[in-house]
Amino acid sequence: MSRNVSVVSRTRTDTRERVLTAGLRLFTRHGYFNTTTHDIARESRVSIGAIYHHFRDKEGIARGVYTMLLERMVDIIQDIHRLHSSTHDRCRALMAVLFKLAEEEPEAMEFMLHAKHREFLPTETPVCSSKPFAMMRDFVREGAQRGEIRAIDPMVASVSLFGGAIRMIIARLDGVVERALPEYLDEVWACGWRAVAP
Amino acid sequence: MSRNVSVVSRTRTDTRERVLTAGLRLFTRHGYFNTTTHDIARESRVSIGAIYHHFRDKEGIARGVYTMLLERMVDIIQDIHRLHSSTHDRCRALMAVLFKLAEEEPEAMEFMLHAKHREFLPTETPVCSSKPFAMMRDFVREGAQRGEIRAIDPMVASVSLFGGAIRMIIARLDGVVERALPEYLDEVWACGWRAVAP
DNA sequence: TTGATGAGAACGAATGCTCGTTCTAGTATA
DNA sequence: TATACTAGAACGAGCATTCGTTCTCATCAA
């Protein structure tokens, strides 16, 4: 529509986004409870008043960060679903993306994987029952139906296929792994696939 | 006001232990930052003053809980090492113990695995570079040297063998898995071993 | 036995500070 | 003008920690 409206909404979402970005960085780096709203104001260069104009409370910021990341993740997984047809290719592409993301946006990864959200987002479901994880399990379940992976408990198949990768990411984020994750992709994938291949 | 009229007077280590037990329960159930020292006092039936007599500060309690659990874990792993000689048997025994522990002492498991200690124990190393995890990796490394598992990066082998089990435990603690973990042991183990067997 | 002594342990009200939130005043945009 | 947004000072509830006091008990002298 008119240019003016778009300008306003851009500034508006811009402020929101700055707060979310600062929140993500600070929450990840120091933890939710070691981050004050004033820290976020300073880091985002948005005033306290503006923050409370956009978010109900501190928890609202965390919730905003969390859903932003989850939605992004869901998009990525849907793309993968669209782009590949076999279970093997889908899961492998997913693992590759996870490794890449962990290197490019370690803070986002850490926030999604490592943070124990229930401690400060009591109403959210735990990460591993969140949508992205459920979609991951759906990949596997479908694969089992099609006979592309062995007929075992779907949950077991899912953690066996991706568990190694996720532990690897966590280890990397904790500084226990030295080389970049994509360098390990082939080996980790081979192990995961062996675990569930028919 | 007569208090502590019990026949057997409380011993020093008894008080300490009560605080640690209460701390473990509350930290796990509500999180470190949602637990006040007064909550711990109430739960442990130890006065605030007594708590501060035994621990330097709140963080000291958390550190106490953490090291208590790690030490217990190290003992368990050493026992396993003594009792079994092959890599296969050792790792399988370890997985069985982890599943059993997760059912019997979910709070202890959760504290060790799930809590992001660095948020409130800034000086501690992250869990996955702690002694128990290192010992787990040593099992695997030794297995690779002996040719009992494939010649792949030891870190990759380790996360591939145990990653599924650990994810399974986390899922179980989060309420995503319905049946008791030991029921899944055979399947999870088979998957893990397939991933790294020569 | 009785009583005195001291040290470690336990007590909990009081303190003081931190930090999430509110409020009033101000500026830009439509 | 009205609406949307921003600013940052001020507030006050909540919480970790302190500290002066009390309790318990082993030891030993008388």
Side-chain angles (χ1 to χ4, degrees):
Chain A
M1 258 200 282
S2 87
R3 185 152 33 88
N4 288 329
V5 169
S6 75
V7 168
V8 165
S9 71
R10 204 199 306 144
T11 357
R12 181 180 158 72
T13 61
D14 182 46
T15 302
R16 225 189 103 86
E17 213 133 281
R18 291 165 67 137
V19 174
L20 290 179
T21 308
L24 169 59
R25 175 172 304 125
L26 293 174
F27 289 157
T28 309
R29 199 165 293 172
H30 307 113
Y32 177 80
F33 291 98
N34 294 320
T35 301
T36 71
T37 51
H38 294 269
D39 290 338
I40 298 177
R42 201 177 317 117
E43 174 93 9
S44 62
R45 304 185 143 277
V46 170
S47 74
I48 281 288
I51 288 181
Y52 276 87
H53 179 77
H54 286 273
F55 299 90
R56 178 206 297 277
D57 51 19
K58 186 185 175 186
E59 200 181 300
I61 305 174
R63 202 190 312 281
V65 173
Y66 188 53
T67 58
M68 175 185 74
L69 294 178
L70 284 195
E71 278 167 16
R72 209 190 283 174
M73 205 60 221
V74 167
D75 285 347
I76 290 175
I77 299 181
Q78 280 174 339
D79 282 351
I80 288 176
H81 191 269
R82 217 173 296 123
L83 265 147
H84 301 86
S85 52
S86 76
T87 301
H88 175 283
D89 293 353
R90 280 175 185 166
C91 292
R92 164 130 194 169
L94 179 50
M95 197 180 285
V97 163
L98 291 175
F99 277 12
K100 186 160 144 278
L101 267 178
E103 293 295 330
E104 286 171 3
E105 299 187 65
E107 279 159 356
M109 252 307 164
E110 176 131 3
F111 192 91
M112 274 191 290
L113 279 186
H114 217 126
K116 196 176 165 253
H117 300 100
R118 284 183 303 177
E119 189 163 334
F120 56 90
L121 292 179
T123 63
E124 294 290 339
T125 57
V127 221
C128 63
S129 66
S130 66
K131 191 135 185 239
F133 271 81
M135 291 168 80
M136 225 161 93
R137 285 197 290 275
D138 286 342
F139 279 12
V140 174
R141 190 170 299 124
E142 203 185 328
Q145 281 167 1
R146 294 199 213 152
E148 293 176 69
I149 68 174
R150 285 192 293 137
I152 48 180
D153 183 285
M155 190 59 158
V156 173
S158 172
V159 298
S160 297
L161 182 49
F162 288 107
I166 290 176
R167 295 305 302 171
M168 199 72 189
I169 291 171
I170 290 173
R172 170 70 170 158
L173 293 172
D174 276 348
V176 181
V177 172
E178 309 231 314
R179 283 152 53 207
L181 287 173
E183 296 184 41
Y184 297 97
L185 178 59
D186 287 339
E187 269 194 345
V188 176
W189 171 256
C191 288
W193 190 250
R194 267 167 180 261
V196 301
Chain B
M1 212 195 298
S2 71
R3 48 184 175 250
N4 199 14
V5 246
S6 56
V7 184
V8 184
S9 76
R10 219 178 268 169
T11 70
R12 180 182 162 75
T13 61
D14 182 42
T15 301
R16 225 189 104 87
E17 212 131 284
R18 291 166 67 134
V19 173
L20 289 179
T21 308
L24 169 59
R25 176 173 301 126
L26 294 174
F27 289 157
T28 309
R29 199 165 292 174
H30 307 114
Y32 177 81
F33 292 99
N34 294 320
T35 301
T36 71
T37 50
H38 291 267
D39 290 338
I40 298 176
R42 203 177 315 118
E43 174 91 10
S44 62
R45 305 186 140 279
V46 170
S47 73
I48 280 289
I51 289 181
Y52 277 87
H53 180 76
H54 286 274
F55 300 90
R56 176 205 299 275
D57 51 20
K58 187 183 173 186
E59 200 182 301
I61 304 174
R63 201 189 312 282
V65 173
Y66 188 54
T67 57
M68 174 185 73
L69 294 178
L70 284 194
E71 277 167 16
R72 210 191 281 173
M73 204 61 221
V74 166
D75 285 347
I76 290 175
I77 299 181
Q78 280 174 340
D79 281 351
I80 289 176
H81 191 269
R82 216 172 297 120
L83 266 146
H84 301 87
S85 51
S86 77
T87 301
H88 175 284
D89 293 352
R90 279 176 185 164
C91 292
R92 163 133 195 165
L94 179 50
M95 196 179 286
V97 164
L98 291 175
F99 278 11
K100 183 158 147 281
L101 267 180
E103 295 295 332
E104 285 171 3
E105 299 188 63
E107 280 159 354
M109 253 305 164
E110 176 131 2
F111 193 92
M112 274 191 290
L113 279 186
H114 217 127
K116 199 177 163 251
H117 300 99
R118 284 183 302 177
E119 188 163 337
F120 55 89
L121 292 179
T123 61
E124 293 290 339
T125 57
V127 219
C128 65
S129 66
S130 65
K131 190 135 188 240
F133 272 80
M135 291 169 81
M136 226 161 92
R137 286 197 289 275
D138 285 343
F139 279 11
V140 174
R141 189 171 299 124
E142 202 183 327
Q145 282 167 0
R146 294 199 213 152
E148 293 175 69
I149 68 174
R150 285 192 293 136
I152 49 181
D153 183 285
M155 190 59 159
V156 172
S158 173
V159 298
S160 297
L161 181 49
F162 287 107
I166 290 175
R167 294 306 301 171
M168 199 72 188
I169 291 171
I170 290 173
R172 171 69 171 159
L173 294 173
D174 276 348
V176 182
V177 171
E178 309 231 315
R179 283 152 54 207
L181 287 173
E183 296 182 39
Y184 297 96
L185 178 59
D186 288 338
E187 269 195 345
V188 175
W189 170 256
C191 287
W193 188 250
R194 267 167 179 260
V196 301

